[in-house]
Amino acid sequence: MMRVIYCGDTTLDSAAAYLAGLICHGGHDLTYLPSDQPFEAKMLDGISSQRVVFVFSDYPSTQIEKNAQQSVLDHVAAGAGLVMIGGWESFHGVGGDWDGTPIGDALPVEISSQDDRVNCHQPVLVDALQPQHPITASLPWAKRPPVIGGFNRLTARADSETLLEAVTHSAQKISTEFTISEVERTPLLVVGRHGNGRTVALATDVAPHWVGPLVDWGDDRVSAAVPGREGVEVGKLYATFLEQLLSWAVGER
């Protein structure tokens, strides 16, 4: 069992229900902070750096002061995990503004100083560059590549490892047939280290709308919920991917 300190994705009654529900479904210890509540350093009192992962998703950088960010990074350097998930208020986005912050600088990607959102109305397929990495292993990336609806445009740092790419396509119908052609490849899942801890940058979201069909990846279904909250139903492959991502971040894989 790991402890997940999860900040953002609005509330547990909306977008946060997806990841938070799966964290509880996996039997893990969840501490959740909505997007409109500030992160205070005293929240870290008594927390061990082992088997702990900090997740920020659609959580504005202005909600966590620099001294609290440094306290988080002290835990990461001592062995905790750090994950940032994409969204309109993640990375730079519109109101995320994580570029130039202590946490932003610790991530395995370079964050733009301008709006980095890519909202896609044409197909964006996920391609695994490292399909045997512990995060991506045992998932059918080649046979059943999932589709996403948007992402933050990021640049992988030189000392990082890119596991997944977002591959944008142009689709059109010519006469009676549809054609699809590759347009661009962009880092989607990048991993690295900060001291003794592991860092993860996932450029797409894990909740609607950017998550797109990825949330339904897999024929089998998983129902999950935070106790006392409304549940969600998702694809089993999507659930497995997120479990493997968090497990790797805390050093369990």
Side-chain angles (χ1 to χ4, degrees):
M1 183 179 73
M2 71 184 85
R3 180 169 186 177
V4 184
I5 300 175
Y6 173 24
C7 305
D9 284 333
T10 313
T11 69
L12 289 174
D13 294 316
S14 54
Y18 289 83
L19 181 56
L22 289 174
I23 290 168
C24 294
H25 180 75
H28 306 301
D29 182 6
L30 171 67
T31 298
Y32 175 72
L33 192 64
S35 296
D36 64 353
Q37 293 187 17
F39 187 111
E40 298 179 353
K42 64 181 181 181
M43 291 175 54
L44 303 175
D45 292 346
I47 291 179
S48 168
S49 299
Q50 304 304 312
R51 301 178 66 80
V52 172
V53 58
F54 297 92
V55 178
F56 296 93
S57 180
D58 271 319
Y59 189 75
S61 63
T62 53
Q63 292 286 54
I64 174 169
E65 295 182 352
K66 287 189 176 181
N67 66 324
Q69 292 192 39
Q70 190 55 57
S71 295
V72 168
L73 293 180
D74 290 343
H75 281 281
V76 176
L82 173 64
V83 177
M84 184 167 289
I85 295 171
W88 284 27
E89 291 182 304
S90 296
F91 300 105
H92 185 86
V94 55
D97 300 326
W98 287 95
D99 45 299
T101 67
I103 285 178
D105 290 344
L107 292 170
V109 292
E110 296 179 6
I111 303 174
S112 174
S113 59
Q114 300 178 340
D115 189 350
D116 55 9
R117 294 172 301 155
V118 181
N119 297 292
C120 305
H121 68 281
Q122 293 243 294
V124 183
L125 294 171
V126 178
D127 185 25
L129 304 185
Q130 304 287 345
Q132 300 308 316
H133 187 277
I135 295 179
T136 57
S138 303
L139 293 169
W141 302 103
K143 292 183 178 180
R144 300 182 64 176
V147 180
I148 59 174
F151 56 91
N152 298 91
R153 187 181 299 279
L154 307 171
T155 301
R157 295 189 188 275
D159 58 350
S160 69
E161 184 177 13
T162 300
L163 306 183
L164 300 176
E165 286 184 329
V167 188
T168 57
H169 290 78
S170 173
Q172 60 181 321
K173 184 177 182 181
I174 300 177
S175 185
T176 60
E177 296 185 358
F178 287 97
T179 63
I180 182 170
S181 56
E182 183 176 319
V183 175
E184 182 184 22
R185 289 175 170 262
T186 306
L188 186 70
L189 176 62
V190 184
V191 298
R193 300 195 72 92
H194 179 76
N196 291 322
R198 294 174 173 181
T199 59
V200 179
L202 177 63
T204 192
D205 208 340
V206 298
H209 68 283
W210 268 5
V211 68
L214 173 61
V215 76
D216 289 312
W217 193 29
D219 294 330
D220 295 333
R221 309 297 293 172
V222 173
S223 295
V226 175
R229 304 280 182 160
E230 186 173 348
V232 296
E233 182 185 283
V234 300
K236 187 174 181 178
L237 298 178
Y238 161 88
T240 299
F241 169 59
L242 292 182
E243 174 69 21
Q244 292 182 176
L245 187 155
L246 294 177
S247 295
W248 182 85
V250 297
E252 292 184 352
R253 294 180 62 84

